[in-house]
Amino acid sequence: MTTSVCKCYKCGYKFNYEFIVGASIYTIRIGTKRIFRCPRCHTLQKFDLMTKGPDGSLKTYGDSAEIGIGAKVFALILVPTLALLLGGAFSFSIFIYPIYLHIALIIAGVAWMAIYLTYLIISVGPKKEK
């Protein structure tokens, strides 16, 4: 397990975050950052994991459902994506022509996932002050 010191940009809460480098069940990995909820204010945000090493004075949290992104976000990513992908795949057995309909459903499923993840990544960062 690797430990990083994370700081919430909204409430300023600092904590240790224990995680496995190549795996995550409850968070979304984006390079050296992960999206999960702050343990104190419970806002969904992007945390930088570059500050390695545990700080003994801080509370430690692991990759758990307590600070994970939540079922609602997973559902908004997976349900439309799987419905469109499976609809496109199974429509081959139902409809013979036009073939572009099948491909369009599959592309729409991939596009939904990409668009929603992009929205999520942009919306959870610190807000720029004007």
Side-chain angles (χ1 to χ4, degrees), residues 21-32:
V21 176
S24 179
I25 297 173
Y26 298 102
T27 64
I28 297 175
R29 294 183 309 134
I30 309 163
T32 62

Side-chain angles (χ1 to χ4, degrees), residues 34-118:
R34 286 200 183 180
I35 296 176
F36 56 89
R37 295 190 187 282
C38 171
R40 178 179 282 166
C41 65
H42 303 289
T43 57
L44 191 64
Q45 52 190 285
K46 197 173 1 178
F47 289 95
D48 188 10
L49 302 178
M50 291 304 294
T51 309
K52 300 285 187 214
D55 184 347
S57 64
L58 301 175
K59 188 169 180 182
T60 301
Y61 296 90
D63 187 23
S64 66
E66 176 187 0
I67 63 172
I69 62 172
K72 180 181 175 184
V73 175
F74 272 129
L76 283 172
I77 293 171
L78 293 179
V79 171
T81 301
L82 291 176
L84 289 167
L85 291 175
L86 293 174
F90 289 123
S91 67
F92 279 110
S93 63
I94 298 171
F95 305 111
I96 304 297
Y97 293 103
I99 194 150
Y100 61 83
L101 175 67
H102 319 300
I103 296 169
L105 285 172
I106 293 170
I107 290 172
V110 172
W112 168 257
M113 184 174 60
I115 290 168
Y116 188 74
L117 284 175
T118 302

